[in-house]
Amino acid sequence: GARCKEAWVGGQRMTPKSPYDRGSADAYYRRRPDPHWYPEGNVTGPRITDMTDEQVADYYRGYEEEDDRKEWE
């Protein structure tokens, strides 16, 4: 099933749907990094790729900090 993490990055709470969470999910599912996020939910609403430098950094931080990987059977 879908997995969402809550983490603290730079003193800010990173919730599901945040750039940090999207980076984490991409790493978990072994996708190549592609900074984006969905402010209205996971793949619902617009896919945002026009991001601030801070949002891109949060995405890559989530990607790099994810240490679990989906095992495909």
Side-chain angles (χ1 to χ4, degrees):
R3 52 185 297 288
C4 290
K5 287 182 165 180
E6 180 177 298
W8 290 83
V9 177
Q12 274 192 307
R13 185 171 150 233
M14 297 291 111
T15 59
K17 307 172 207 141
S18 70
Y20 180 94
D21 185 65
R22 294 292 85 217
S24 173
D26 283 350
Y28 177 80
Y29 287 109
R30 302 176 186 265
R31 295 187 285 252
R32 298 181 84 175
D34 179 24
H36 69 281
W37 68 300
Y38 297 94
E40 295 178 22
N42 188 16
V43 301
T44 60
R47 181 180 196 267
I48 305 300
T49 58
D50 184 17
M51 300 164 64
T52 66
D53 290 344
E54 183 177 9
Q55 288 171 322
V56 171
D58 288 343
Y59 172 91
Y60 280 112
R61 189 174 299 112
Y63 193 92
E64 293 167 6
E65 290 179 357
E66 179 57 64
D67 58 0
D68 196 14
R69 296 293 181 272
K70 169 88 172 147
E71 291 299 326
W72 302 98
E73 297 177 21

